[in-house]
Amino acid sequence: MKLLPLLLALANLCVMSTVEAAGFKAGVAVRTVTPSPLLPVSGGMGPSSKASEKKGDLTVRALALGNTQTQLVIVSSDFLGFPAALGDKVRAQVTWIPSEHILIGASHTHSAPDCYGFPNGKGGTDADLEYLNFVCDQMAGAIHSALASMRPARLRINTGEARGKIAYNAYADALYDPRCHVIQAVADSGDTIATLVNYAVHPEVLGANTGICSPDMIWPMTQTIERNIGGVAMFMNSAQGGMVTADNRKTDGSDSRIWAECERIGGLLGNEAVRIIQEAEFLDDTQLRVHSKRVSFPVKSPEMRAVLETSPLPYELDKEGYIATTMNLIELGNTQILTIPGEALPNIGYYLKRQMRGEHNLLFGLTNDAFGYIMTRVDWGSFKRYEYISKVSLGENTGEILIKESLKLIDQAQAKR
């Protein structure tokens, strides 16, 4: 008879262990990567510009989510872009989770060192390889720390329009997506672990020619959120291509390229993100599924091919002139997240969100790779206004391939349910 209580106790222990193993957890980590001494900063293809001061700190921020069965790490970085040629060096240092479960995105600030290896017009590049290796090491360290610090957490996700003078489309004022998506992880104690803001905007209030190294408006955004609700704040860009930018226009039509304007816009976006997430309920279902596929794009642009072929970074073009990257579709509770390896134009962003099947549908632009502007075939080279973004695009079929492969990922996820 004494055996029965023991068996019941063991059974209860097994149930408790199963519940704990299935429980949702989150962890976060931050590393500062501001170069010292300061390095030249890049706003796009061509030579970098000298920086003589800094405003805020460049950082890499890693958010780990999941349970004992499946983990996902989302990494934000304060750079113009973070190509897979660097991202794969980071993933090679992380053996705790599959490499395709690590999403690495860039904020797209125009006030940070070159991570592409752009030709500088002098037969070389302004990219500093020693610094880039340092960034990769710091990013890998942040991922390890985020995974190691995972603790029981609740999740809430919400979508709302970010109100106020934050962004606009410089090519056609109203053609941008005002929706702001927010993911927040909160510990059982009630303390905020992390708040992730997903919004489409070029953080280029300052630009590359002001002599300032900075995350731009993203720094005051993160500081505003962290000051108001605690935890770590991070930013993942969306479909901001052609040309969804920060609304720093003055009344005379010129741009205000001062730090106070970064503080205004970043603070406003941060406050809007706090408002939006505080209106959300915590999720009952935090099931996590990670889908991925390799996708190849033809490189037809002479300008983009020159970058890939002359950069000191190990870009890999195949014999037919294609470059491959990884795309992801993440299912997180009632939410779907699709990664985009560049700067998709807003019309592509709107279309993909309409095809996705979550209650909240997020696009992580400039994630896993940074292949320039992504346009539909009918937009590519169509208007004089589009001359620059057509050149800084892999080619006229890039958008068609992205849409086709994205729809395959969405269908693949649905079929596995």
Side-chain angles (χ1 to χ4, degrees):
M1 294 296 294
K2 293 182 180 180
L3 185 60
L4 182 58
L6 177 61
L7 291 174
L8 288 173
L10 288 173
N12 286 335
L13 180 62
C14 289
V15 171
M16 290 174 64
S17 298
T18 301
V19 170
E20 183 179 355
F24 186 80
K25 296 182 179 182
V28 70
V30 182
R31 295 288 188 277
T32 298
V33 293
T34 306
S36 181
L38 295 175
L39 294 171
V41 298
S42 173
M45 289 203 297
S48 296
S49 302
K50 183 179 179 180
S52 57
E53 63 175 312
K54 75 179 183 75
K55 292 289 188 180
D57 274 310
L58 305 182
T59 63
V60 294
R61 302 169 183 238
L63 172 61
L65 301 171
N67 51 45
T68 51
Q69 286 76 43
T70 307
Q71 295 87 41
L72 171 75
V73 179
I74 303 168
V75 182
S76 67
S77 63
D78 290 314
F79 297 106
L80 185 73
F82 204 79
L86 295 175
D88 288 344
K89 293 182 69 172
V90 175
R91 295 181 180 95
Q93 298 182 54
V94 181
T95 58
W96 297 3
I97 63 174
S99 61
E100 62 271 20
H101 287 222
I102 301 173
L103 313 183
I104 302 176
S107 68
H108 201 57
T109 176
H110 285 214
S111 303
D114 174 15
C115 289
Y116 289 84
F118 292 129
N120 61 9
K122 303 175 184 177
T125 178
D126 294 325
D128 187 306
L129 297 185
E130 183 177 350
Y131 170 70
L132 295 181
N133 285 332
F134 162 75
V135 171
C136 289
D137 291 344
Q138 292 300 303
M139 192 177 286
I143 293 171
H144 281 127
S145 293
L147 288 166
S149 69
M150 291 179 75
R151 51 181 165 146
R154 296 177 296 162
L155 201 68
R156 54 182 179 176
I157 303 173
N158 204 13
T159 299
E161 182 170 331
R163 301 190 293 245
K165 190 170 178 280
I166 299 173
Y168 78 109
N169 191 328
Y171 290 170
D173 283 20
L175 298 187
Y176 76 101
D177 190 345
R179 288 171 291 182
C180 178
H181 310 280
V182 187
I183 301 174
Q184 187 177 76
V186 177
D188 286 349
S189 63
D191 295 332
T192 301
I193 296 173
T195 303
L196 185 154
V197 179
N198 177 226
Y199 184 75
V201 64
H202 273 67
E204 55 174 353
V205 176
L206 299 174
N209 299 315
T210 57
I212 300 173
C213 176
S214 176
D216 203 271
M217 56 173 279
I218 304 306
W219 179 260
M221 186 211 78
T222 60
Q223 299 303 294
T224 297
I225 295 171
E226 292 170 4
R227 184 171 58 250
N228 287 344
I229 56 178
V232 172
M234 54 196 292
F235 175 79
M236 297 294 285
N237 222 318
S238 187
Q240 94 294 8
M243 181 71 67
V244 181
T245 190
D247 194 351
N248 60 336
R249 294 173 293 177
K250 296 188 287 188
T251 54
D252 64 2
S254 63
D255 293 332
S256 176
R257 299 200 175 277
I258 58 175
W259 180 245
E261 190 66 356
C262 286
E263 292 179 315
R264 182 193 68 78
I265 297 173
L268 179 54
L269 179 58
N271 283 323
E272 284 296 281
V274 170
R275 174 185 62 80
I276 289 166
I277 197 59
Q278 288 182 336
E279 295 172 353
E281 300 292 332
F282 286 100
L283 300 183
D284 294 324
D285 174 19
T286 51
Q287 190 167 9
L288 173 65
R289 301 182 185 90
V290 180
H291 309 274
S292 66
K293 73 191 312 281
R294 294 289 288 174
V295 178
S296 293
F297 296 90
V299 183
K300 297 297 185 181
S301 162
E303 290 83 0
M304 293 293 281
R305 182 178 285 271
V307 172
L308 298 174
E309 292 179 341
T310 63
S311 171
L313 301 184
Y315 295 111
E316 295 183 3
L317 280 169
D318 67 18
K319 294 179 181 179
E320 297 180 351
Y322 281 70
I323 190 167
T325 193
T326 299
M327 289 180 57
N328 285 91
L329 181 78
I330 308 301
E331 296 181 284
L332 180 61
N334 62 355
T335 298
Q336 289 194 337
I337 304 168
L338 180 69
T339 66
I340 297 175
E343 303 175 63
L345 267 64
N347 56 344
I348 293 178
Y350 267 102
Y351 177 75
L352 291 177
K353 284 183 177 181
R354 288 205 310 272
Q355 305 308 309
M356 295 165 71
R357 297 170 187 177
E359 181 179 338
H360 304 286
N361 297 309
L362 285 63
L363 302 175
F364 283 0
L366 291 156
T367 296
N368 294 341
D369 240 316
F371 288 156
Y373 292 102
I374 299 176
M375 314 165 65
T376 60
R377 183 184 302 155
V378 294
D379 282 334
W380 190 89
S382 295
F383 305 104
K384 186 174 183 180
R385 194 69 154 140
Y386 281 177
E387 282 183 3
Y388 172 74
I389 61 173
S390 296
K391 289 180 180 178
V392 190
S393 167
L394 294 181
E396 66 177 299
N397 290 316
T398 308
E400 316 305 318
I401 295 170
L402 175 80
I403 292 170
K404 179 181 71 174
E405 298 298 339
S406 296
L407 296 179
K408 286 182 181 178
L409 268 173
I410 295 166
D411 289 342
Q412 172 187 321
Q414 188 69 16
K416 290 185 176 180
R417 280 185 171 275

